[in-house]
């Protein structure tokens, strides 16, 4: 559960990130600002640190030079002689240790210096109480083995355990002093902690960090406010467009001011008004067209009935006519049949357009429907010298549907397959699963070119206008089939390839109102991938 909760939270966050321009702009601006602040802060800290260190080193060197010169002055005032060496040594180091304790620096006196390398611990140093002699770098000690020049170095001033003082960075300065009493050289080291500079740098760092945090929050707030001024009209435009798309054609954006956003809102409203006028004109034209189709279809019923009665009389008496007249009577009867079919289809289309089509639902076995359609179209199949075969992959295949409309869909698909199958056979597949039922009509005729699968359901559309309608179709069969399928909440899809035939697949939900997620039958037949082109495939 915890993992799922985390995954849901991450998914919602990613969705919000993808959908919110404002969030992306604010976060991107804050990240870039944080990078700039980090670089500038690092540069300022480096400059501050270097300034503090350089200033401290200058003061330390000056103070160490003064202490050394003062020590030499004191030594010169003490009488000479071997007995006075210890007195001069005390006069050298003790005053400096006392002043160092009051001024915050430590002292180490190393010596006397003999020939050869000098080690700090082996030469009997005197130093400030509590100081760890390791605070004096070995490199600085070794320097005075070869030179008498004053030298300095950075170090870490450490203290022995129990002193209660923590190690701090510092500066150590070494100077060579000769004791007048015995003429021997001593090295004195001044160790200046940099605790004050370290505290100052820490204070500056905290101040910069607080200022950076405040600046980032300020930048984020300002970015949010600025982007809100731009994004809010865009969101308003999106909501207005969604309401327009849902049919609320009177919806408009509010116009405030004369800036670019206001001009965008004005242009959007002008576009919406233009679309509203055009849509209403199209609706009125469509209404007039539907009314015209319905009126013409109804008005033609009465004269067609009269013509049908006369045609039936002529057709029944055709044996008494000469061959040319008899043939004319047969053609008249055939065209009257087509005309009646066209009127029926036009009336059905007008009912679909007017939203007056209803379903008479019942449990229907699609296998039985397929067999009935095959029996009905057997005469047409014999005329075309082809065969129609039903292959039920599951039986029974039940679905809640309108039997009349379902049979009309399948009959149109089978008749279309016979008409375009080039006498290579037609196969009707029937299958179902727990949620859906499907019928696929497969032929191996001329097929469909690229892009024609989306056009084949248009009214009066023909892939080849020069091709004869041998089955007597009106050009509205597939359009009516698609409308019948939509009434059931199903899918009617087409696939085809030139010379490889075509397949039309009808998929219906098992229960009325159910949602379709997949079809039990593939839209692209498996025999098409194998290159087979006959019913034996």
């Amino acid at each position: 559960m915890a993992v799922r909760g985390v995954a849901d939270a991450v998914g919602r966050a990613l969705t919000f990130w993808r959908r919110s321009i404002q969030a992306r702009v604010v976060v991107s601006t804050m990240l870039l600002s944080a990078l700039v602040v980090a670089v500038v802060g690092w540069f300022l800290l480096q400059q501050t640190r270097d300034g503090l260190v350089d200033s401290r080193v200058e003061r330390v060197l000056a103070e160490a030079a003064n202490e050394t010169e003062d020590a030499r002055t004191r030594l010169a005032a003490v009488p000479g002689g071997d007995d006075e060496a210890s007195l001069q040594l005390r006069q050298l180091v003790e005053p400096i240790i006392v002043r160092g304790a009051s001024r915050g620096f430590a002292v180490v006196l190393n010596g006397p210096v003999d020939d050869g390398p000098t080690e700090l611990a082996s030469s009997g140093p005197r130093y400030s109480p509590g100081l760890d002699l390791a605070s004096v770098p070995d490199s600085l000690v070794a320097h005075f083995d070869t030179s008498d020049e004053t030298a300095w170095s950075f170090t870490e001033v450490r203290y022995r355990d129990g002193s209660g003082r923590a190690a701090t960075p510092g500066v150590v300065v070494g100077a060579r002093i000769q004791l007048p009493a015995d003429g021997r050289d001593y090295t004195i080291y001044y160790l200046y902690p940099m605790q004050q500079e370290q505290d100052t740098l820490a204070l500056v760092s905290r101040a910069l960090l607080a200022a950076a945090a405040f600046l980032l929050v300020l930048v984020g707030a300002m970015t949010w406010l600025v982007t809100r001024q731009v994004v809010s009209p865009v969101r308003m435009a999106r909501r207005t467009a969604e309401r327009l798309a849902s049919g609320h054609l009177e919806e408009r954006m509010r116009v405030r001011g004369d800036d670019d956003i206001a001009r965008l809102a004005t242009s959007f409203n002008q576009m919406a008004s233009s679309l509203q006028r055009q849509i209403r004109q199209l609706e009125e034209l469509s209404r007039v067209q539907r009314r015209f189709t319905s009126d013409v279809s109804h008005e033609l019923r009465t004269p067609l009935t009269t013509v049908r009665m006369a045609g039936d009389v002529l057709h029944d008496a055709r044996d008494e006519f000469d061959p040319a007249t008899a043939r004319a009577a047969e053609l008249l009867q055939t065209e009257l049949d087509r005309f009646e079919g066209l009127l029926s289809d036009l009336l059905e289309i007008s009912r679909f357009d007017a939203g007056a089509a209803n379903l008479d639902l019942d449990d229907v076995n699609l296998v039985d429907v397929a067999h009935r359609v095959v029996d009905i179209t057997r005469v047409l199949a014999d005329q075309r010298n082809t065969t129609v075969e039903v292959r039920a992959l599951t039986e029974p295949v039940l679905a809640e549907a309108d039997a009349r409309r379902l049979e009309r869909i399948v009959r149109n698909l089978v008749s279309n397959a016979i008409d375009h199958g080039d006498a290579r056979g037609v196969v009707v597949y029937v299958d179902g699963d727990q949620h859906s039922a499907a019928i696929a009509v497969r032929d191996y005729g001329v097929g469909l070119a690229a892009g024609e699968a989306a056009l084949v359901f248009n009214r009066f559309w023909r892939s080849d206008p020069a091709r004869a309608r041998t089955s007597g179709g009106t050009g509205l069969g597939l359009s009516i089939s698609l409308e019948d399928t939509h009434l059931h909440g199903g899918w009617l899809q087409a696939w085809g390839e030139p010379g490889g035939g075509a397949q039309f697949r009808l998929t219906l939900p098992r229960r009325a109102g159910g949602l379709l997620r997949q079809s039990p039958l593939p839209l692209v037949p498996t025999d098409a991938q194998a290159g087979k082109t006959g019913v034996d495939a």
Side-chain angles (χ1 to χ4, degrees):
M1 295 296 293
V3 175
R4 177 176 294 181
V6 173
D8 292 341
V10 172
R12 288 192 296 269
L14 291 176
T15 301
F16 176 74
W17 174 261
R18 289 194 300 268
R19 293 182 177 180
S20 178
I21 298 177
Q22 189 174 10
R24 292 201 299 271
V25 171
V26 170
V27 173
S28 301
T29 303
M30 291 187 67
L31 289 177
L32 291 175
S33 300
L35 179 61
V36 172
V37 168
V39 173
V40 173
W42 176 84
F43 177 77
L44 291 177
L45 282 178
Q46 293 295 318
Q47 293 297 314
T48 303
R49 187 197 66 179
D50 293 343
L52 289 173
V53 170
D54 293 343
S55 176
R56 180 59 170 168
V57 169
E58 289 179 2
R59 293 197 307 270
V60 163
L61 291 176
E63 187 172 350
N66 292 334
E67 290 292 341
T68 303
E69 188 63 30
D70 183 65
R72 288 176 177 149
T73 302
R74 288 197 309 273
L75 290 177
V78 177
D82 295 339
D83 295 338
E84 301 298 332
S86 59
L87 178 60
Q88 289 183 349
L89 194 59
R90 287 194 303 270
Q91 289 292 328
L92 171 63
V93 68
E94 289 178 359
I96 300 177
I97 292 177
V98 173
R99 283 196 300 271
S102 62
R103 296 182 182 179
F105 65 90
V107 180
V108 176
L109 181 64
N110 188 35
V113 178
D114 300 323
D115 296 336
T118 302
E119 294 184 3
L120 190 63
S122 63
S123 56
R126 295 172 176 82
Y127 51 90
S128 299
L131 181 67
D132 188 351
L133 294 179
S135 302
V136 180
D138 294 337
S139 58
L140 188 60
V141 175
H143 166 78
F144 290 100
D145 291 335
T146 58
S147 175
D148 293 336
E149 297 293 331
T150 301
W152 68 276
S153 175
F154 291 111
T155 187
E156 183 180 30
V157 181
R158 296 189 291 270
Y159 301 92
R160 293 197 299 270
D161 296 338
S163 63
R165 290 178 289 181
T168 59
V171 180
V172 56
V173 181
R176 182 62 60 86
I177 295 180
Q178 188 176 53
L179 200 64
D182 55 8
R184 302 178 71 179
D185 292 329
Y186 291 80
T187 306
I188 186 170
Y189 301 97
Y190 307 94
L191 292 92
Y192 292 86
M194 300 180 68
Q195 185 63 47
Q196 184 176 0
E197 287 74 16
Q198 189 175 22
D199 294 340
T200 302
L201 188 62
L203 178 62
V204 173
S205 300
R206 290 193 298 269
L208 286 176
L209 185 61
F214 175 76
L215 182 61
L216 287 179
V217 173
L218 183 62
V219 168
M222 293 177 60
T223 305
W224 183 81
L225 289 174
V226 172
T227 55
R228 186 173 182 273
Q229 294 179 356
V230 178
V231 172
S232 294
V234 175
R235 290 175 177 171
M236 185 185 302
R238 175 184 60 81
R239 289 192 293 266
T240 304
E242 290 175 351
R243 291 184 59 82
L244 286 172
S246 63
H248 301 276
L249 300 179
E250 295 80 11
E251 193 73 16
R252 296 293 184 272
M253 290 182 63
R254 286 183 296 178
V255 180
R256 297 177 180 176
D258 298 320
D259 55 8
D260 293 336
I261 299 298
R263 290 199 295 271
L264 173 63
T266 302
S267 301
F268 185 92
N269 291 339
Q270 292 174 352
M271 178 191 67
S273 299
S274 177
L275 288 176
Q276 183 181 14
R277 289 193 301 269
Q278 295 181 21
I279 290 174
R280 287 183 174 175
Q281 291 174 0
L282 291 175
E283 288 177 347
E284 181 65 20
L285 179 61
S286 177
R287 187 187 66 81
V288 172
Q289 181 182 6
R290 291 196 302 268
R291 183 65 180 271
F292 175 77
T293 302
S294 178
D295 292 346
V296 168
S297 301
H298 283 92
E299 291 298 328
L300 287 177
R301 278 293 184 184
T302 300
L304 179 62
T305 302
T306 303
V307 174
R308 163 61 72 182
M309 293 174 60
D312 289 342
V313 172
L314 293 175
H315 186 266
D316 293 340
R318 66 185 183 279
D319 293 336
E320 302 175 4
F321 302 145
D322 58 86
T325 306
R327 178 57 180 163
E330 292 177 353
L331 292 176
L332 176 63
Q333 189 73 5
T334 301
E335 293 304 318
L336 284 174
D337 291 338
R338 289 195 62 203
F339 194 26
E340 281 188 333
L342 178 60
L343 281 179
S344 299
D345 289 345
L346 286 175
L347 286 173
E348 188 68 25
I349 286 291
S350 66
R351 280 193 288 269
F352 282 124
D353 292 340
N358 296 314
L359 292 177
D360 184 11
L361 297 176
D362 195 4
D363 286 335
V364 180
N365 186 357
L366 271 64
V367 178
D368 295 339
V369 172
H371 283 292
R372 285 200 301 270
V373 169
V374 169
D375 293 337
I376 293 173
T377 58
R378 193 178 304 278
V379 175
L380 178 60
D382 292 340
Q383 293 176 356
R384 295 289 292 159
N385 192 26
T386 189
T387 60
V388 183
E389 178 186 355
V390 177
R391 295 182 183 178
L393 306 181
T394 304
E395 192 172 353
V397 180
L398 299 177
E400 192 174 2
D402 187 325
R404 179 182 65 85
R405 295 182 184 277
L406 180 59
E407 185 172 318
R408 180 168 61 187
I409 296 172
V410 179
R411 184 172 64 251
N412 284 331
L413 297 181
V414 173
S415 299
N416 184 73
I418 294 173
D419 189 25
H420 297 84
D422 289 349
R424 295 181 180 178
V426 176
V427 182
V428 181
Y429 296 97
V430 186
D431 198 3
D433 56 24
Q434 185 178 359
H435 303 287
S436 58
I439 292 180
V441 179
R442 174 79 163 107
D443 69 75
Y444 301 90
V446 294
L448 296 172
E452 291 184 349
L455 303 174
V456 71
F457 298 104
N458 293 347
R459 298 174 185 180
F460 300 107
W461 183 85
R462 300 175 69 180
S463 60
D464 184 5
R467 184 180 178 89
R469 294 192 186 273
T470 56
S471 61
T474 62
L476 296 173
L478 290 179
S479 299
I480 294 175
S481 298
L482 184 62
E483 297 292 344
D484 284 333
T485 304
H486 289 167
L487 281 178
H488 288 84
W491 300 337
L492 184 58
Q493 300 161 296
W495 167 90
E497 60 182 9
Q503 177 163 294
F504 288 78
R505 183 183 67 181
L506 169 67
T507 307
L508 301 177
R510 285 279 195 175
R511 293 298 173 190
L515 295 178
L516 290 177
R517 294 180 176 84
Q518 62 182 8
S519 178
L521 293 172
L523 178 61
V524 180
T526 55
D527 55 17
Q529 302 174 2
K532 300 179 181 180
T533 59
V535 71
D536 292 337

